[in-house]
Amino acid sequence: MKPGGGTRRSRKTGAPTGVEGSAARARLAVLALLGSILVALVAAGLRSVLWALAGIAALALAAVGVWWTLAHTGALRALGAVLAVVAPVAVLALYAAFGMLGPALLSLALWVLAVTAARTALSPGHTASEQSGRAVAQAPHSPWILMNPRSGGGKVGRFHLVDQARAAGCRVVLLDGGQDVAELARQAVAEGADLLAVAGGDGTQALVAEVAAGHDLPFVVIPAGTRNHFALDLGLDRDDPAAALEALTDGVELRIDLGYAADRVFVNNASFGTYASVVTDPAYRDAKARTTLRALPGLLTGEDAPGLRARADGTYVDGLQALLVSNNAYGRAVDAARPGRRERLDSGLLGVVCVRVGNTAQAARLVRGARSGGLVRLSAREVVVEAGTDTLPVGIDGEHVVLPSPVVCRSAPGALRVRVPRRRPHAPRVSGGTADWPRVARLALGRLPVPARPFEPPAGSCRGHTQGT
């Protein structure tokens, strides 16, 4: 929105932006929500409540089946696998037999549309670069790039990254195993490098990013790893790693956070409990599924169960099987515009996801969402994790380490200068947090003239406050 409060229009589509666009999305959210209710009522009348209860029951049985599959062995595991598949399939077949499958799917689709539109209606609508980034004034004089030829199944060679980086004036160092990544980066700084970059996995990215942050140098991410979650949340094109090199000459610089678990830096997350324990098994690398299924029963219900405790600012949670601490919060699968992605990397807060499911009843209650107590979401500046042991296995950006207990996780706000291309096709946009329906309704009716608001932690993410799931 321009200073005068007028409406802008997209240069590409001519679609309204600013207040008009937000109001349009609010109206769409309200109409979609009403539509999801009306579809059910028209199709089944008051019986739609019974059909909804049948669907919820199927989800609860499926959750029980998954729990039995993961937490038990033998016949009960086999029964759980069958139940996890048969329960939802049986209800879908029942819906189809009574002509309710189509209306049910349509109602669900409208509800998802309503929630997504509601969140984006209250969004400032800006990418991270629009909010906190600044254009790069000049190209670096002595950029340095560390490349791992083995990452991502050989992406460095497949995309000719060495040649393209050297053509851009970069000094390229190839990682051949056994080297100290952080020491290589520190040596590069001592030799005059004024920009550090990594073409490799997230674990390597984190080690070099810490050196860049320590010397206040810009850092460039080249998505040449297997999953590249960090690159994804920066909006980079993971299918075209070479495009990230445009950041050297036509880039935007962002200030983002780093996370720490004790003295270990992470750009994505640190995981505790079941996953961290499973990856300690040497067989995990070559047989992930089989090793996981073999280890989980003992880790979930046996003597090897971790029994984690965590204090997230002022909130204490215990009896946990698993805990994920992330560098900024991940979106929720239910109402996030981009499920599983982080909308921001500069909130100054850690995201915390706690899993507390110890028996069949608790597994079934997961369908209640936030009220079940089985899945707890928090945001905090500091998280202290401990168990009844002297050390804790931790998965840090996919790498296994063992740290002394308790482990203090903290956020380092704005610690890293990240340089990204000006043109990022997948740059995340900041949403409005959870769907605030009264506010959405006022906006849809034209009673809320300024929907855009400065960033604040999503509802429930203040210090020591629990978020819904």
Side-chain angles (χ1 to χ4, degrees):
M1 187 170 65
K2 293 182 179 181
T7 299
R8 295 181 298 148
R9 289 187 176 269
S10 168
R11 293 181 179 179
K12 293 184 177 180
T13 64
T17 60
V19 173
E20 182 180 330
S22 295
R25 289 190 291 273
R27 289 190 288 271
L28 173 62
V30 172
L31 290 174
L33 180 63
L34 293 175
S36 69
I37 298 172
L38 289 174
V39 165
L41 290 176
V42 169
L46 294 179
R47 289 178 301 169
S48 59
V49 176
L50 297 177
W51 287 110
L53 290 175
I56 293 172
L59 291 176
L61 288 173
V64 168
V66 171
W67 170 254
W68 287 353
T69 302
L70 298 178
H72 299 279
T73 59
L76 195 54
R77 167 171 284 181
L79 179 60
V82 172
L83 184 61
V85 175
V86 169
V89 169
V91 169
L92 290 176
L94 188 64
Y95 278 22
F98 285 85
M100 285 297 300
L101 182 58
L105 294 177
L106 178 58
S107 181
L108 178 62
L110 287 171
W111 177 75
V112 172
L113 174 62
V115 173
T116 302
R119 297 183 76 233
T120 57
L122 300 178
S123 165
H126 294 159
T127 64
S129 61
E130 291 172 322
Q131 288 199 341
S132 60
R134 61 181 179 84
V136 175
Q138 60 183 10
H141 298 293
S142 182
W144 176 89
I145 298 184
L146 179 67
M147 295 189 177
N148 187 347
R150 295 180 300 280
S151 288
K155 282 186 177 180
V156 168
R158 192 160 66 250
F159 288 93
H160 310 289
L161 295 180
V162 173
D163 293 338
Q164 296 195 55
R166 286 173 175 164
C170 301
R171 178 190 168 197
V172 178
V173 175
L174 295 177
L175 192 63
D176 57 15
Q179 297 157 293
D180 186 329
V181 170
E183 182 57 33
L184 288 174
R186 286 191 288 267
Q187 182 180 345
V189 174
E191 293 173 354
D194 59 352
L195 178 145
L196 302 181
V198 173
D202 289 332
T204 307
Q205 300 279 2
L207 294 174
V208 178
E210 183 179 26
V211 176
H215 292 85
D216 197 31
L217 292 178
F219 179 69
V220 170
V221 175
I222 312 294
T226 302
R227 296 180 181 87
N228 297 119
H229 293 302
F230 187 39
L232 175 67
D233 292 333
L234 286 171
L236 302 178
D237 187 350
R238 296 184 296 175
D239 297 324
D240 185 11
L245 291 169
E246 293 179 10
L248 299 176
T249 55
D250 186 21
V252 172
E253 190 170 290
L254 314 175
R255 276 281 184 182
I256 69 169
D257 310 333
L258 288 176
Y260 282 87
D263 60 346
R264 294 294 300 262
V265 69
F266 58 90
V267 293
N268 290 328
N269 55 64
S271 60
F272 300 82
T274 52
Y275 172 75
S277 298
V278 167
V279 298
T280 62
D281 193 322
Y284 176 78
R285 185 170 298 274
D286 296 323
K288 292 181 173 61
R290 183 171 35 206
T291 304
T292 300
L293 287 174
R294 185 182 68 245
L296 277 179
L299 293 172
L300 293 174
T301 59
E303 295 180 356
D304 297 330
L308 295 172
R309 303 182 297 273
R311 186 176 69 252
D313 289 344
T315 300
Y316 181 80
V317 190
D318 61 1
L320 304 177
Q321 282 78 36
L323 173 68
L324 183 77
V325 180
S326 58
N327 178 26
N328 291 262
Y330 285 102
R332 291 172 289 186
V334 174
D335 61 1
R338 292 176 174 85
R341 288 186 60 179
R342 291 167 291 179
E343 293 178 341
R344 300 190 69 97
L345 291 170
D346 60 355
S347 71
L349 295 171
L350 299 170
V352 187
V353 179
C354 309
V355 179
R356 183 167 50 188
V357 181
N359 54 51
T360 300
Q362 291 176 353
R365 285 201 297 268
L366 285 176
V367 297
R368 300 179 59 194
R371 293 173 295 176
S372 71
L375 188 65
V376 180
R377 292 170 57 92
L378 304 165
S379 287
R381 300 188 186 280
E382 182 180 277
V383 181
V384 181
V385 186
E386 59 184 333
T389 56
D390 294 332
T391 60
L392 280 174
V394 189
I396 297 182
D397 285 339
E399 302 293 330
H400 169 255
V401 299
V402 176
L403 299 176
S405 177
V407 178
V408 178
C409 301
R410 61 182 176 85
S411 175
L416 182 64
R417 297 167 55 191
V418 174
R419 191 169 292 187
V420 295
R422 188 187 305 273
R423 294 179 295 275
R424 288 177 293 150
H426 308 297
R429 291 182 175 271
V430 180
S431 79
T434 55
D436 184 344
W437 286 107
R439 185 179 174 90
V440 171
R442 291 197 301 272
L443 177 58
L445 294 173
R447 299 176 183 174
L448 190 64
V450 186
R453 56 189 176 188
F455 170 73
E456 56 185 352
S461 66
C462 59
R463 178 177 290 242
H465 195 93
T466 303
Q467 292 185 19
T469 53

